Amino acid sequence: MSTKKRRDIQESAIRAFFFACGILAVLVLVGIFLTLLGTAVPAFREIKIAEFFGHTRWDPTSPEKAEYGLLSMIVSTLMVTAGAMLLAVPVGIGVAAYLSDVAHWRVREVLKPVVEILAGIPSVVVGFLGIVLFGPALAKLFHTANGLNALNGSVLLAIMSLPTIISISEDALNAVPKAYNEASLALGASRWQTLVRVKLPAALSGIIAACMLGMGRAIGETMTVLMATGNARSFPHGLLDPVRTMTANIAIELGEVPYFTTHYYALFAIGLVLFVMTFAVNLAADVVLRRYQEREQ
Amino acid sequence: MKRAARKNVIQALGFLALRLSMALVLAVLILFLYDIGSKGGGAISWEFLSQAPRKGMTQGGIFPAIFGTFLVTVITALLAVPLGMSSAIYLNEYARQTRLTRLIRLSIRNLSGVPSIVYGLFGVILFVNVMRLGTSVLSAGLTLGLMTLPWTITASEEALKTIPDSYREGALALGATKWQTIRTNVLPYAVPGMLTGTVLGLARAAGETAPILFTGAAFYLPFLPKSLGDQFMALPYHLYIMATQHHAILQVRPLAYGTALVLIVFVLGMNMTAIVVRYRLRRKQR
């Protein structure tokens, strides 16, 4: 009897341990949020919230008057991300459709790991190629002084978000019930018509979620934009302007800022803005993805 | 008949467009690997791999950066692998579908979307300042460990899902406790798959720069860290410095290419091993 009791206690302890590990993810997420919030709030003792989000000048080290306008960086981030999505979404969906509907299964088995290789290339290497390979090519193409601008960043971020878009879109296409496919073909539709008018609409929510997850990655990407977009603090007027994104600004300034100053707190406030933006995008993608998976079951 | 012909032409054009997008992605990947491989290959020598940088990084090798990346990846693994596996065991073996488990899963998915630089900010506060570990290889490793956690959990859970329920039921029917069942009938079959998926996450961590920028990576430190409290050189950060911060950027470019090649081989080597092992495991399970 006592061995059974001891065993029960042991079992509960083990269960409690695994539960604690499971709950850790929640604690880390909440911890990150509270840490950012707690470190960002002191910034707003000196900075007006309207200035932070509404002004375009960011000049925290100015000897006359420090300015903390984030708007140029928000616009830069959104511009580079939008450019990346414009390139990556059609190509990504195209590749996903190719893998699920056109490629022979043997070809697919080879190409899927190849896409995973692309996902494995570190962002700092992509940024490096932006400097030595893509930047000079863009400069030649558009006759600009150097190719370190928003367009370069968009191209590179598009490449980096492709694996996410491809693999999740492909899953969504494969999850479309076979009966849809067969019914459409039986009615005399071609494979192309079936793909465009039956499978893509049926998988649409999954594909949208895939694109949103890719976008979340592009918004939060740091090293590539830090290295390849020129980092000018001015307001961007076009894709050929050099830009400084929010992530790049944190990376540039956090190393030199004295701890626990308004400037330091302001950098954490940027981190909080980034966290909230990516969290919202990912959460939305998650809701879309869950809803369509529930429907499948 | 004419309509049927048009249908075929449209299909051919459509499929061509899909093939072209695949070709484009392949071309980009080949261009990447060719550029790094051809230009980085020339920089690789025994001296480059085994010595410290000299003369303001314009000569010598990258051994401290290789060692630092290896060391920080080990720390990352020590934090992320046991916690990730335990968390996955809870989610797949113990948890019922409650609001709390939904919250846990939601957190895990959102954690994997948190920007890496934000993990860096969190690491600066938690490990460098609050826990007083300073900017050190330990702080950087722990920051990367937290970042890798959601990937190791997801990968481990996938591996646990592939174990058939009959394995568990067999043990339970014989009177084994829950933990005995997991230990003897689930884990032995799941651990290879769990580790494989985990390696993919670690490979990503090894290539990350943003989280270690302010938690412990050093600009130029031509010797090895003596303890976990020291700063360290890392391959990704070294490449960043060589590509953007060095005063003689063009002069050090061959060394930057060499560093990029070593980093890619390091990361993709881990990736490929994991992919190959996973492929083999899947075939064996069939």
Side-chain angles (χ1 to χ4, degrees):
Chain A
M1 200 59 206
S2 80
T3 46
K4 184 179 184 313
K5 212 174 201 174
R6 207 169 51 205
R7 209 174 61 182
D8 283 349
I9 294 172
Q10 197 189 344
E11 283 292 314
S12 321
I14 290 167
R15 191 195 144 86
F17 168 75
F18 286 131
F19 174 72
C21 294
I23 210 81
L24 184 73
V26 184
L27 295 180
V28 173
L29 189 69
V30 174
I32 290 178
F33 178 71
L34 290 182
T35 302
L36 290 173
L37 191 68
T39 323
V41 162
F44 296 103
R45 281 194 302 235
E46 280 183 42
I47 310 166
K48 287 197 198 77
I49 289 189
E51 181 199 335
F52 190 66
F53 288 106
H55 287 202
T56 56
R57 262 180 73 82
W58 178 270
D59 194 4
T61 52
S62 159
E64 289 100 43
K65 185 183 177 299
E67 291 191 78
Y68 296 95
L70 191 60
L71 192 59
S72 299
M73 284 185 253
I74 295 179
V75 172
S76 299
T77 299
L78 294 179
M79 198 166 93
V80 175
T81 305
M85 288 302 106
L86 234 50
L87 295 167
V89 166
V91 176
I93 296 175
V95 172
Y98 169 80
L99 287 174
S100 79
D101 279 80
V102 183
H104 188 261
W105 68 271
R106 263 176 225 259
V107 179
R108 185 168 60 223
E109 291 277 296
V110 177
L111 286 179
K112 280 181 80 165
V114 169
V115 174
E116 282 189 58
I117 291 179
L118 194 61
I121 293 179
S123 57
V124 70
V125 174
V126 179
F128 177 63
L129 287 166
I131 293 174
V132 296
L133 197 64
F134 286 80
L138 289 176
K140 224 179 251 170
L141 201 62
F142 294 99
H143 305 289
T144 50
N146 63 46
L148 300 184
N149 52 33
L151 181 63
N152 195 4
S154 289
V155 172
L156 299 171
L157 287 184
I159 294 168
M160 297 179 73
S161 48
L162 271 173
T164 308
I165 297 178
I166 293 172
S167 68
I168 299 174
S169 296
E170 203 216 335
D171 285 347
L173 282 170
N174 284 332
V176 174
K178 282 262 183 316
Y180 288 28
N181 211 16
E182 288 155 4
S184 169
L185 292 174
L187 286 172
S190 68
R191 279 167 67 205
W192 173 253
Q193 285 170 328
T194 305
L195 174 66
V196 174
R197 299 198 198 152
V198 178
K199 287 191 80 176
L200 282 177
L204 192 63
S205 50
I207 292 173
I208 290 174
C211 297
M212 278 157 70
L213 289 174
M215 189 169 92
R217 284 203 67 185
I219 294 174
E221 172 51 44
T222 308
M223 296 317 289
T224 305
V225 287
L226 172 62
M227 294 166 84
T229 60
N231 294 321
R233 280 188 295 195
S234 52
F235 192 85
H237 296 284
L239 275 174
L240 291 177
D241 280 359
V243 295
R244 180 186 288 205
T245 64
M246 292 189 280
T247 49
N249 190 65
I250 298 174
I252 291 166
E253 295 184 358
L254 190 64
E256 288 163 12
V257 64
Y259 276 19
F260 312 121
T261 56
T262 300
H263 184 188
Y264 174 84
Y265 295 131
L267 293 179
F268 278 81
I270 301 180
L272 182 65
V273 173
L274 266 174
F275 179 88
V276 171
M277 278 172 77
T278 50
F279 189 84
V281 170
N282 287 318
L283 197 65
D286 201 64
V287 169
V288 174
L289 212 56
R290 290 304 115 184
R291 192 174 292 164
Y292 113 97
Q293 278 175 355
E294 272 161 25
R295 207 187 55 201
E296 290 302 318
Q297 279 159 9
Chain B
M1 197 56 208
K2 235 176 146 185
R3 251 178 95 177
R6 209 178 67 187
K7 206 163 85 175
N8 285 340
V9 171
I10 291 176
Q11 162 150 325
L13 287 175
F15 281 4
L16 181 69
L18 300 185
R19 287 198 177 92
L20 283 178
S21 25
M22 185 75 238
L24 182 68
V25 172
L26 276 182
V28 167
L29 182 66
I30 291 168
L31 180 68
F32 269 28
L33 297 180
Y34 175 76
D35 193 60
I36 300 277
S38 62
K39 292 181 187 148
I44 306 291
S45 65
W46 178 242
E47 188 206 357
F48 185 70
L49 296 175
S50 65
Q51 291 189 2
R54 276 183 288 116
K55 300 197 175 159
M57 297 195 278
T58 55
Q59 285 178 27
I62 54 167
F63 182 68
I66 296 177
F67 180 81
T69 294
F70 177 74
L71 185 62
V72 85
T73 310
V74 169
I75 298 174
T76 305
L78 287 178
L79 178 73
V81 176
L83 281 179
M85 286 185 172
S86 307
S87 184
I89 290 175
Y90 174 74
L91 284 173
N92 201 62
E93 306 295 324
Y94 286 97
R96 287 185 203 90
Q97 273 300 326
T98 62
R99 203 170 282 175
L100 185 63
T101 32
R102 272 219 296 279
L103 182 68
I104 294 176
R105 286 176 197 279
L106 189 71
S107 301
I108 292 166
R109 283 196 298 274
N110 273 295
L111 274 178
S112 61
V114 171
S116 55
I117 187 96
V118 171
Y119 276 101
L121 291 173
F122 183 58
V124 166
I125 296 284
L126 180 64
F127 300 123
V128 177
N129 289 333
V130 174
M131 290 171 70
R132 298 192 177 281
L133 300 173
T135 48
S136 63
V137 63
L138 188 58
S139 293
L142 294 176
T143 305
L144 286 176
L146 285 186
M147 194 193 75
T148 317
L149 196 57
W151 295 328
T152 56
I153 296 174
T154 314
S156 303
E157 214 192 331
E158 289 302 319
L160 286 171
K161 271 188 200 154
T162 62
I163 309 301
D165 271 341
S166 56
Y167 285 36
R168 300 181 180 89
E169 285 153 5
L172 290 171
L174 290 174
T177 63
K178 185 99 186 162
W179 169 237
Q180 284 168 341
T181 304
I182 296 170
R183 206 182 52 204
T184 58
N185 274 26
V186 178
L187 284 184
Y189 306 99
V191 161
M194 289 165 105
L195 285 177
T196 317
T198 303
V199 169
L200 287 172
L202 289 178
R204 267 176 102 163
E208 273 290 350
T209 320
I212 62 171
L213 272 178
F214 309 109
T215 51
F219 193 89
Y220 179 44
L221 210 68
F223 39 80
L224 305 181
K226 287 187 186 61
S227 77
L228 293 181
D230 289 342
Q231 286 196 297
F232 66 107
M233 285 184 81
L235 286 169
Y237 188 56
H238 191 60
L239 173 58
Y240 166 66
I241 297 296
M242 301 266 253
T244 62
Q245 305 289 297
H246 201 277
H247 59 90
I249 284 181
L250 289 179
Q251 199 190 334
V252 298
R253 185 133 297 166
L255 296 177
Y257 263 111
T259 310
L261 180 60
V262 172
L263 177 60
I264 281 224
V265 168
F266 193 92
V267 170
L268 289 189
M270 284 169 83
N271 263 322
M272 303 272 229
T273 318
I275 290 172
V276 169
V277 172
R278 190 177 60 188
Y279 185 71
R280 292 235 172 106
L281 280 176
R282 272 197 195 145
R283 289 180 84 183
K284 218 163 59 182
Q285 273 166 3
R286 268 178 202 155

